[in-house]
Every structure is written in C-alpha cells, then in structure tokens.
Amino acid sequence: MLLKNKIAVVTGGTRGIGYAVVREFLKEGASVVLCGSRPETAEKAVNSLKEENPQWDVIGISPDLTKYDDVRTAFDAVAREFGRIDILVNNAGISAKEPFTEYTEEMFQKTMDLNVKAVYNCCRAVVDGMKSRGSGVILNTSSMVSMYGQTSGIAYPTSKFAVNGFTLSLARELAPSGIRVNAVAPGITNTDMVKALPEAMINPLINTIPLRRIGEPEDIANAFVFLASDKASYITGVVLSVDGLARS
Ligand code: NAD
C-alpha cells in the first residue's frame, strides 16, 4: 500500500474528485480527514465510505475554509487527534459560468476566496507542523483551464492560474524543509461541477480530446495517490495534467 500510516486531510472530500481521492487514499492505507462545506455532507460521505469498508479510518470536519482561524483550529485538532498531518490535498473549488458582462464582483470574490485564499489558509495551517518534522506533501487542484483559459466564467480560470503560481512558488520555498508541493490539473471530469456546465461548452471539448472521453474522478485520484506517495519523492513544483490530451 502506497500511503500506509499516512495522515491526510482532503478538502472538498464529500463528492466528485475529492471523494474519489479520499477513497483511493483509504485503499492505499492512509487515515483520512475529509472536509465538507457542511457537517451533514461530511457525515454522509464518511458514512458511505464506512459502509463500503468499516475498517477504513476516516472522519469528517467542516471548517469554513475561507477563514484562516477556523481552518487553523480545525487542523490543530486533527493534528492532536492523529498525531500529525502528512498530506494536505486542497481540492475544494467552485466555478460560475456567467459571461464577463454578467459576472458580478460577488461571484468573483466568492470564487477567489475558495479557490485561492482557502488554499493559502489550509497550507498556512499545516506548514508549521510539516516544517518541524522536516517532511510533508501538499497537493493542490488546478485545472486544464489554467493553461488555456475558458470562454466564460472569468474568475475560475483566473483562480486556477493563481493556484499554479502558488504551487510553484511554495514548492521552491518549502523544498529545503523537506516538503513537496505539487498540483494536479484535471481535464473535463465527470462530476457535479461539469454536469452544471452547458452541453454547448462540453461537447466541442470532448471532440478535441485524443482519448475521446471525459475523465472519471478515479483517473484524477490516481494522480493524487502517486504524487502523495514516496514514489514521487523527487517531484516538486509540478502541475501534472490529467486530461486525456496528447502534448508535443
Ligand atoms: P464538485 O462540485 O463535485 O465538488 C466540489 C467539492 O468542493 C465538494 O466536496 C464541495 O463540498 C466542496 N465545496 C464547494 N464549496 C465549498 C465551500 N464553500 N467550502 C468548502 N467546501 C466547498 O467539484 P469537482 O468537479 O469534484 O471539483 C473538485 C476540484 O477539481 C475543484 O477544485 C475543481 O476546480 C477541480 N477541477 C474539476 C474539473 C472537472 O471537470 N470536474 C476539472 C478541473 C478541475
């Protein structure tokens, strides 16, 4: 098992890609704390995982990821209960598809608060502990649109470009402390986020994918498992595309 005895925190772990990451981490022997936006959704996800395998060591929490004090209090409690946090996966994210002229300041702020500021908050809350132990893994969730942009919903690609910059910079800063920082950039993946997008946006994109299908959450989760594991011990500052595209 690739993650035996590792303690992982996964934000947005209640559904979609995050849920698949939690599930694959558990299969690989990790203890996992999943974060949901509400206690009920976190509890529902934990119950469904426990139903699948009662031996899995998983609990749910629901701090407000956009508030540093909330995150710090919750993650400190996790570190006290489990002894430490080895792996942080920043996966929670939102998007709004409105065209630029209808895109409000509130939409922009809300997207940046969760997709960027929460990533800072969560990293800030684990890095002291990781530094003191001289090891740790931080994995962020970027997106294919962080390379290409997209035709509407301006804050989302903007936030994911920021996640890439954050990842590369933090990787450089923390590498001498033994902490690896990488990101996974999923392509179009079969989750609620994509089901909410108009077909007119998705279908032309599928035709441009050489593997001719959209990704499944497990396709993405497998990349997180690899980057979280010691198999990736010499990889930091990478944004790994998992999107079915062939690149030259
Ligand atoms: P999803 O909508 O299915 O799940 C989003 C997760 O984020 C949920 O667990 C939800 O509880 C959590 N979340 C939402 N708002 C929150 C809030 N305010 N506070 C705390 N948690 C909150 O989305 P998904 O498709 O699984 O996306 C997961 C990540 O992958 C996101 O960062 C997204 O940007 C990224 N991504 C998705 C795709 C895709 O095609 N699905 C492609 C590229 C990148």
Side-chain angles (χ1 to χ4, degrees), residues 25-56:
F25 275 24
L26 290 166
K27 284 198 218 165
E28 293 296 337
S31 296
V32 183
V33 178
L34 64 83
C35 303
S37 49
R38 287 180 293 124
E40 312 84 71
T41 53
E43 193 188 332
K44 192 171 160 220
V46 168
N47 288 344
S48 129
L49 290 158
K50 287 276 199 190
E51 212 169 282
E52 185 175 349
N53 187 340
Q55 307 301 319
W56 280 345

Side-chain angles (χ1 to χ4, degrees), residues 12 14-15 17 91 114 141-143 156 160 186-187 189 191 193-194:
T14 59
R15 60 173 196 255
I17 291 170
N91 164 79
L114 185 66
T141 309
S142 179
S143 167
Y156 183 73
K160 296 302 185 180
T189 311
T191 69
M193 182 180 273
V194 161

